[in-house]
Amino acid sequence: MLDTLSCLERFAAATRRHADLSVQRMSFGDPAYVCVRNRFSNTLVETVTCSQDGGFITSWGYRLGSTDNIEDAAARLAFLLAALPA
């Protein structure tokens, strides 16, 4: 069984490597999620969950990537939030 909380923690750490991204909050409730925003915008915000099949999913259903490559999933989120590359 996939440890989604651990995966979300690693995803949050990967997003922090992008200078323009800020982790606003993490929830370990049901569902667990990470809320990330562009530091320079109050409107460029996204909430990401981790599905049981290992996919990182945005609040509007876009699959960012999988737990097999967390760095790439975080990079896709950075692109969506108009952040500079890591």
Side-chain angles (χ1 to χ4, degrees), residues 21-41:
L21 296 183
S22 172
V23 174
Q24 294 298 287
R25 64 189 163 278
M26 291 185 69
S27 171
F28 297 114
D30 188 24
Y33 65 86
V34 176
C35 184
V36 180
R37 80 171 183 94
N38 182 313
R39 291 180 194 267
F40 303 104
S41 171

Side-chain angles (χ1 to χ4, degrees), residues 10-21 23 39 70-71 74 84-86:
R10 290 184 295 154
F11 181 80
T15 60
R16 287 184 180 108
R17 292 186 192 108
H18 294 265
D20 293 352
L21 296 183
V23 174
R39 291 180 194 267
I70 293 174
E71 296 296 326
L84 293 173

